[in-house]
Amino acid sequence: ESKMVTDALPCHPVGKGETLGKGETQRVEWKNCDECTLHLSDDVCVSVNGMAMSAERSSRCSDTFSCVHAAKGATLSLERCDLTTQFDCYVVHVSHESTTAVISSCCIHDGLEGGVSISRGAEATLENNDIHSNGIGVSVTTEGRRVVLRNNRLKRQKRFGVVIFGANVEATLEDNTISDNDWAGVESTDHSTVTLTGNPIKGNGQCKIELSREGLCTWGAYYADFYQGNGFPGMLVTHYG
């Protein structure tokens, strides 16, 4: 079941050349129950601007759904959207080769698993987003590549701010503020290639960049750090296996 609701809200400037006068504007909410709010695949191109989108879960549903899922060659653009899901998964999931996404000026929050997942060869650019109160802020996993995070604010995740995982992953982080996450601000694992420029990484367990003597961290050392109550570093570089 999908529904849209409009609520009158006080007007405020939104930029991008759009001018709003005094008075009221409309908040448009797009809600879906027990499935993705927006799912696109197979070379479909969709652009969404200025909507509050949520995937809601009923008591009878045992599956999990992202709010937005782009897959199998789709092209996605999200701008000025508020995005969340009630399911134990990522709010936004971008997957498969030839799938591309541009996510800008959005608020992505309260995903139990995470905020944004980029995987299986997909490409994405995230710019000027507020990503907060998720399990993981942004996850770039095996064979996800050419991912750019620029000028985002990633804070108060229950685990990592950003996770980059896999030998074919190429991620660039520029001018992001990564703060107050419960575990490491940035985790880079399994020979991923990460370029960081101008990113304040602070308040994430222990506020520092940390490597083991070999430049890698084993499972044992990784978990010992956590369970002994020493917190997590600002950046954690590991190799599992």
Side-chain angles (χ1 to χ4, degrees):
E1 178 186 359
S2 181
K3 61 181 178 180
M4 286 191 182
V5 181
T6 59
D7 295 320
L9 294 177
C11 175
H12 61 277
V14 296
K16 286 288 185 182
E18 182 176 355
T19 303
L20 299 176
K22 295 181 179 180
E24 294 182 334
T25 186
Q26 295 291 311
R27 173 184 172 90
V28 180
E29 297 183 353
W30 182 3
K31 301 179 180 180
N32 221 8
C33 186
D34 294 347
E35 59 183 352
C36 290
T37 306
L38 173 62
H39 182 273
L40 57 153
S41 64
D42 300 325
D43 300 320
V44 172
C45 180
V46 173
S47 178
V48 182
N49 190 315
M51 300 189 85
M53 303 172 65
S54 60
E56 299 184 343
R57 182 175 187 172
S58 71
S59 59
R60 65 181 181 273
C61 183
S62 60
D63 295 326
T64 59
F65 295 100
S66 298
C67 178
V68 178
H69 186 192
K72 298 181 180 178
T75 300
L76 171 68
S77 173
L78 297 170
E79 185 176 2
R80 297 189 305 115
C81 292
D82 185 280
L83 304 154
T84 191
T85 181
Q86 294 179 356
F87 294 92
D88 188 6
C89 60
Y90 283 85
V91 178
V92 179
H93 187 194
V94 184
S95 64
H96 298 96
E97 290 188 8
S98 302
T99 302
T100 60
V102 176
I103 304 171
S104 61
S105 302
C106 292
C107 182
I108 301 168
H109 59 93
D110 294 297
L112 295 178
E113 183 67 22
V116 181
S117 171
I118 303 132
S119 66
R120 302 179 67 179
E123 300 183 12
T125 299
L126 280 63
E127 187 164 10
N128 194 36
N129 299 287
D130 287 300
I131 302 173
H132 70 84
S133 307
N134 302 286
I136 295 170
V138 177
S139 171
V140 186
T141 56
T142 306
E143 296 183 1
R145 52 186 161 223
R146 287 184 289 278
V147 174
V148 177
L149 278 66
R150 182 181 299 115
N151 197 33
N152 300 285
R153 294 156 297 281
L154 299 107
K155 58 186 179 182
R156 300 196 306 274
Q157 323 302 335
K158 296 175 179 62
R159 297 191 294 279
F160 300 103
V162 181
V163 173
I164 302 104
F165 183 97
N168 293 323
V169 174
E170 298 178 12
T172 299
L173 280 64
E174 299 177 350
D175 301 320
N176 303 282
T177 299
I178 304 169
S179 64
D180 302 315
N181 302 289
D182 287 354
W183 295 8
V186 179
E187 183 189 32
S188 173
T189 75
D190 269 17
H191 307 289
S192 54
T193 301
V194 187
T195 303
L196 296 99
T197 305
N199 300 278
I201 302 173
K202 56 187 180 180
N204 306 285
Q206 294 172 310
C207 305
K208 60 184 178 181
I209 296 177
E210 184 171 286
L211 300 175
S212 70
R213 293 178 183 175
E214 297 80 16
L216 300 172
C217 180
T218 65
W219 274 99
Y222 171 83
Y223 275 108
D225 226 14
F226 176 57
Y227 286 128
Q228 290 174 4
N230 295 321
F232 276 76
M235 181 172 179
L236 180 64
V237 180
T238 69
H239 173 62
Y240 301 149

